[in-house]
Amino acid sequence: MEEKDNLQKLKIATLNSEQLQQKIDQESISWCEELIKDLEKFRDENKTWSQI
């Protein structure tokens, strides 16, 4: 019975790790997209400086 409980805990930990990794991936993509938008906005607002 104890072995089964340990396997169940491991399964939950693995599931939580996978969910956490997915959340990290989503947040990273979102952060990068926002950074790109900010850089494009800066470029458009500062065309003279962007061309240098």
Side-chain angles (χ1 to χ4, degrees), residues 20-36:
L20 180 59
Q21 186 60 50
Q22 287 177 350
K23 182 67 174 168
I24 290 170
D25 293 346
Q26 290 170 351
E27 290 298 320
S28 296
I29 290 169
S30 176
W31 183 83
C32 289
E33 288 172 344
E34 282 298 313
L35 179 60
I36 290 168

Side-chain angles (χ1 to χ4, degrees), residues 1-43:
M1 185 69 175
E2 186 176 327
E3 185 177 335
K4 185 177 181 181
D5 290 340
N6 288 339
L7 289 174
Q8 184 64 22
K9 288 178 185 177
L10 180 62
K11 182 178 179 183
I12 291 171
T14 301
L15 179 61
N16 290 338
S17 295
E18 289 172 4
Q19 289 174 338
L20 180 59
Q21 186 60 50
Q22 287 177 350
K23 182 67 174 168
I24 290 170
D25 293 346
Q26 290 170 351
E27 290 298 320
S28 296
I29 290 169
S30 176
W31 183 83
C32 289
E33 288 172 344
E34 282 298 313
L35 179 60
I36 290 168
K37 286 178 188 177
D38 289 344
L39 290 171
E40 289 174 340
K41 181 179 175 185
F42 178 80
R43 178 199 64 204

